[in-house]
Amino acid sequence: MLDETAQGVFTIAVTPFLPDGALDWDSIDAMVDFYIEKGATGLTILGMMGEAGKLTAEESVAVVKRVTARSTVPVVVGVSAPGFAAMKTLTDAAMDLGAAGVMVAPPGSLKTDDQIITYYHNTAEILGPVPFVLQDFPLVTNVVIPTKVILKIVEDCPTCVMLKHEDWPGLDKITALRAASGAGARRISILCGNGGLYLLEEMLRGADGAMTGFAYPEMMAQVVAAYRAGDLEHARDIFDAYMPMVRYEAQPGLGLAIRKYTLAQRGVIAHDTVRKPGAALSAATKAEVDALAKRQAGKLSMLGL
């Protein structure tokens, strides 16, 4: 079961599809193996970049079943939904299939601090003993969750064991949360997203690792390992080598297509299909990704990686 001590890299998994949009089960198996081989200490599936909103309820459960059966690391399942009934149904199915916990993002209808707090009170009540991750991603949800609100949710809801931090800019939020923990607030795990754009700075501010889906998950594992070993300069060198690709993948609206293209080029998934509606990459964009990958390989070789 997921708890407050979680750390490392919980890779946000893509959902592989065949060219006709059907689920690609063989690629799901290969992807799970790849993420773990590259250093994932956990997996997060059915997230926003996992195209969860494009799957039927039956497909969602089937994906959870396939991944949990294959994975040797804890699996967190995104269960965000417009209503609590759908959230509860998927949560129950996921936990029965062996998931370690679930992740819940706030709906865009929440506008005030009190509404956000009430929503997560209700979430904790509906989910019962199931540990959950609070996803703080205002750039997508349009819900701004201040530090004081996060602390209130953590205080009131013991089953909230992790924050997926994706505020931007948000480094000061991590500092404030860790300062509050030092002053007596319950300490929860903080894993960070945003494609790894700020991973090193987030670690320096007190994060426990990453929960994101950059197409080179080994970067996150290597940076976290070097940081924990006290070799900050090596962590910086690794981070810098991957940064052009991280930056390119971070393009709004194209990021998932770029990520899937890269994973397909690496032989992880068979097809780079993004289920409709979704972006498709132009030949020029693919050429730019290929050029970045080539330069990145050269830099990594110089680092002995």
Side-chain angles (χ1 to χ4, degrees), residues 151-172:
L151 290 171
K152 179 62 175 173
I153 294 167
V154 170
E155 177 184 359
D156 294 349
C157 306
T159 51
C160 178
V161 299
M162 180 187 292
L163 173 70
K164 185 187 179 187
H165 174 271
E166 296 190 273
D167 205 347
W168 183 357
L171 293 172
D172 287 340

Side-chain angles (χ1 to χ4, degrees), residues 49 249-258 274 278-281:
M49 293 294 270
E249 192 189 272
Q251 294 180 75
L254 275 186
L256 177 60
I258 293 169
V274 176
L281 301 186

Side-chain angles (χ1 to χ4, degrees), residues 48-238:
M48 295 176 185
M49 293 294 270
E51 301 177 80
K54 301 176 188 178
L55 272 61
T56 66
E58 293 77 16
E59 286 177 324
S60 295
V61 173
V63 169
V64 174
K65 183 176 182 179
R66 189 78 170 210
V67 173
T68 53
R70 187 87 178 181
S71 179
T72 57
V73 298
V75 177
V76 174
V77 178
V79 297
S80 304
F84 286 117
M87 182 191 298
K88 173 68 170 171
T89 298
L90 181 54
T91 295
D92 288 348
M95 299 307 291
D96 287 345
L97 290 167
V102 300
M103 180 168 67
V104 181
S109 58
L110 304 181
K111 303 301 180 185
T112 69
D113 292 353
D114 285 345
Q115 287 174 340
I116 297 168
I117 292 169
T118 299
Y119 179 81
Y120 279 102
H121 282 174
N122 290 336
T123 296
E125 180 181 352
I126 292 293
L127 299 186
V130 176
F132 72 89
V133 180
L134 192 169
Q135 185 174 10
D136 181 18
F137 197 4
L139 285 149
V140 170
T141 63
N142 293 315
V143 179
V144 176
I145 310 180
T147 301
K148 65 180 182 180
V149 173
I150 294 172
L151 290 171
K152 179 62 175 173
I153 294 167
V154 170
E155 177 184 359
D156 294 349
C157 306
T159 51
C160 178
V161 299
M162 180 187 292
L163 173 70
K164 185 187 179 187
H165 174 271
E166 296 190 273
D167 205 347
W168 183 357
L171 293 172
D172 287 340
K173 179 180 282 188
I174 299 174
T175 298
L177 289 168
R178 288 304 183 227
S181 297
R186 181 167 67 91
R187 187 190 192 281
I188 63 170
S189 173
I190 299 177
L191 299 185
C192 299
N194 287 320
L197 270 170
Y198 310 104
L199 175 59
L200 189 55
E201 290 80 12
E202 289 160 347
M203 295 294 296
L204 289 165
R205 295 292 189 112
D208 297 296
M211 183 185 277
T212 194
F214 179 49
Y216 293 85
E218 60 267 37
M219 178 276 278
M220 297 175 286
Q222 291 164 358
V223 168
V224 171
Y227 174 81
R228 293 196 186 286
D231 193 346
L232 183 56
E233 286 307 305
H234 186 49
R236 290 190 186 281
D237 288 341
I238 297 167

Side-chain angles (χ1 to χ4, degrees), residues 20-42:
D20 65 0
L23 287 163
D24 183 350
W25 299 110
D26 290 341
S27 287
I28 288 176
D29 291 344
M31 175 192 70
V32 170
D33 295 346
F34 168 80
Y35 286 144
I36 295 171
E37 176 191 343
K38 294 301 182 182
T41 54

